[in-house]
Amino acid sequence: MITKHLSSNAKIGLSLLAACGLMWACGGASKKSNTNDTDSSSQEREFGMQIVPQEPLATPSKNKFSKVQGFKEGETPTASAGFKVVRFADSLNSPRNVYVAANGDVYVAQARTETKGDGKKADSHNEFRSKSPNNIIRFRDTDGDGIADERETVLSNLSQPFGMLLAGEWFYVANTDGLMRYPYRNGKISTSGKKILSLPAGGYNNHWTRNMILNADSTKIYISVGSGSNVGENGMEHEVRRAAILEVNLDGSGERIFASGIRNPVGMDIEPQTSTLWTAVNERDELGDELVPDYITSVKNNGFYGWPYTYWGQHEDPRWKDKMPKEMAQKSITPDFAVGAHTASLGLSFNKADGFPEGVYIGQHGSWNRSTFSGYKVIFVPFSKGRPAGEAQDFLTGFIGNEENSEVYGRPVAVAFTSKYMLVTDDAANIIWTVMPERL
């Protein structure tokens, strides 16, 4: 469904969301978290804190690629009751990630997967077939209405950039093949940057995104690096420094693996109550419609999360039967919260604006390795005292058009907050969406 406006009262919407967070505070499995799934038993296998995963290949592994149609002028996705949606900026070229600086400047990295040919998978990414734009644009909303008044390209000729951050007098960019650092003075970025760390590039299904975030005391940088394969099929010697979150000093030195066995971590944020790192993770393909659920999780120092040998704790991947190192399987950590199989959960941000319920917001880019569409929305998981406190709830929907014809309007990616509203990048429709309380 597409909508041009919402009319529900903001206070009602907020109270309903808060009530949902209290109702399931004991942590049961989700039973209504993805409107694209009708089988209630699938919810228990795919959503929540205590799931029982489906058996491997209980359903055949199938592909269903979307066809991006875009949103017409005046059309928007649909937000939860009490919130409205406007276009922060449009007419873009693959806006993938968004970073909000302390002074309110909004930086957007434009880059995309480069798929050869004109096949169905390419149709699901973007209307453009040219090379990745590989630039960063700075936006400013000078009157706080959720619509950008100024835009300027500040960095170009990058290498599939994704992660961005400001620390002191430096602006950092995580390219797919390395961490760059640029002088930042008086609100401006110098173009004379320097690579301070090389990163492994390429990989299965174009796991090219390299996100990053400062740790809680701003002394280290966490960098996410996805796997180079689906499930280690090319040999684990090709997965060095991959399927991991790296930790480095602010000058790029002192690299160590902070956590491993995380197939493709993308969205990252620091949970505000506990100062703990959380991430959204894309799990493996080709084990069936309901395997393996993507997840969000707190990230433990030196933690191992199973990939490629096991999933959701110590469930063995049959492709590694009789050849996995048992000591690795036995120490695999069960993630905190499952968010649906093949949903491509990429974005993750805790609420930072007034009027938004306490919890985490997850951008789901949408499935391709599933017989029906899954994801294609932003979902919300309520938190209390630093932990999930309820089921996953739809927050921003309306990206799916005619599923029978495989048509979608767009595909959400990253989620971020200014002091007043949420921003969601849509790299398929080439729009950045603002979601704000109706009272604003």
Side-chain angles (χ1 to χ4, degrees), residues 66 103 143 172 183 200 251 268 278 314 415:
S66 58
N103 67 355
D143 55 8
Y172 296 81
D251 63 358
M268 295 192 293
W278 280 70
Q314 299 181 14
V415 180

Side-chain angles (χ1 to χ4, degrees), residues 195-209:
K195 181 185 284 191
I196 59 174
L197 177 71
S198 292
L199 295 169
Y204 169 82
N205 198 28
N206 290 275
H207 287 175
W208 57 267
T209 56

